[in-house]
Amino acid sequence: MAEQQIADAAVGVGEPEKGSNEWGQVLAALVVVGGLAALLLSGTFQQESSDPQPADCHASDDARPSKPVSGVQLCTALNRADLPTLLGTPTEYAMNASGNESVGNWADGTKTVTPEAEVQLDTYTVNISTSDDDIPVAEMAGFLGSSAQRRTIGGHPAVLYSDRTVALKFNLGGGKVETGPGGIARSLLVAKDTKDGGGFYEVALWRQDDVPPDDLALFRVAEAVLPTVPGWTAG
């Protein structure tokens, strides 16, 4: 659940193999954000490096409709023309853009549907998701460690905190996957309403080069994107 505290992953990455089993580049990052795991495949909807056109939003084949907002709607809100400028990288463009709904099956038989979207640029990857969890964001701050900081976004209570990505490496010759520690992700949990009555949006940002991301860029993205998400209430 989103209220569970998640420990940082610290699995070592082995040395690359030579010859036909040479390891490919790191193709994915698994980011644990507020208890929600998002598998971010950098090969999906990849633009050719010589193509200057930004990627359009696509839905995964198993995307399910979600109310009141879908993953594709989140992607449309996030994949805006000025996103590179908001991130401080105005000469870049979206290489990947996707939206979907992930389904969680719990021990008591209930299911939860989490709409989410991701846009990847050369420097940054941005992820946005929503949750109907009934725990207030202010209360969730206690589960996110001593470094969590209370903030306000558009009049909505918010919490800023850090997590660590987990790098995945694929052996192109044998199909084996190894994991290792990735870079730092900075995330904002933003209450769905100004009274913090339960439910939240989450905006997460990390860099491809594992340099800590710019918090100001994260705030600019959240403040510009969230008011355009269906269901957002003005503060």
Side-chain angles (χ1 to χ4, degrees), residues 70-212:
S70 69
V72 172
Q73 287 174 312
L74 289 177
C75 185
T76 300
L78 182 60
N79 191 27
R80 48 194 288 153
D82 64 347
L83 180 62
T85 300
L86 294 172
L87 292 170
T89 56
T91 62
E92 297 182 0
Y93 60 91
M95 299 186 297
N96 310 325
S98 61
N100 60 74
E101 284 82 37
S102 62
V103 178
N105 296 299
W106 305 100
D108 61 1
T110 60
K111 293 183 178 181
T112 56
V113 179
T114 302
E116 58 187 345
E118 175 198 316
V119 175
Q120 182 184 20
L121 292 81
D122 187 54
T123 299
Y124 282 107
T125 295
V126 192
N127 183 278
I128 183 172
S129 62
T130 70
S131 173
D132 292 326
D133 197 303
D134 59 1
I135 299 179
V137 164
E139 187 175 330
M140 290 176 63
F143 298 101
L144 297 173
S146 59
S147 62
Q149 304 171 35
R150 297 177 188 270
R151 293 288 188 268
T152 301
I153 299 293
H156 294 228
V159 176
L160 172 68
Y161 74 101
S162 294
D163 212 328
R164 182 173 290 279
T165 66
V166 179
L168 305 182
K169 294 188 73 174
F170 295 87
N171 184 334
L172 302 181
K176 185 179 178 182
V177 179
E178 287 195 2
T179 62
I184 295 296
R186 294 289 278 170
S187 301
L188 273 170
L189 292 181
V190 183
K192 282 193 171 181
D193 60 66
T194 57
K195 295 182 179 180
D196 198 10
F200 60 85
Y201 304 93
E202 181 149 22
V203 183
L205 177 67
W206 63 96
R207 291 177 59 111
Q208 322 302 353
D209 56 9
D210 294 342
V211 173

Side-chain angles (χ1 to χ4, degrees), residues 18-91:
K18 303 299 182 180
S20 60
N21 289 332
E22 182 176 359
W23 286 98
Q25 64 178 357
V26 174
L27 296 179
L30 182 66
V31 181
V32 180
V33 181
L36 302 176
L39 183 60
L40 310 170
L41 299 178
S42 65
T44 305
F45 315 124
Q46 178 71 44
Q47 293 278 18
E48 295 294 334
S49 60
S50 60
D51 187 349
Q53 297 300 316
D56 294 326
C57 287
H58 293 269
S60 64
D61 292 339
D62 59 350
R64 298 168 174 83
S66 177
K67 296 180 180 181
V69 61
S70 69
V72 172
Q73 287 174 312
L74 289 177
C75 185
T76 300
L78 182 60
N79 191 27
R80 48 194 288 153
D82 64 347
L83 180 62
T85 300
L86 294 172
L87 292 170
T89 56
T91 62

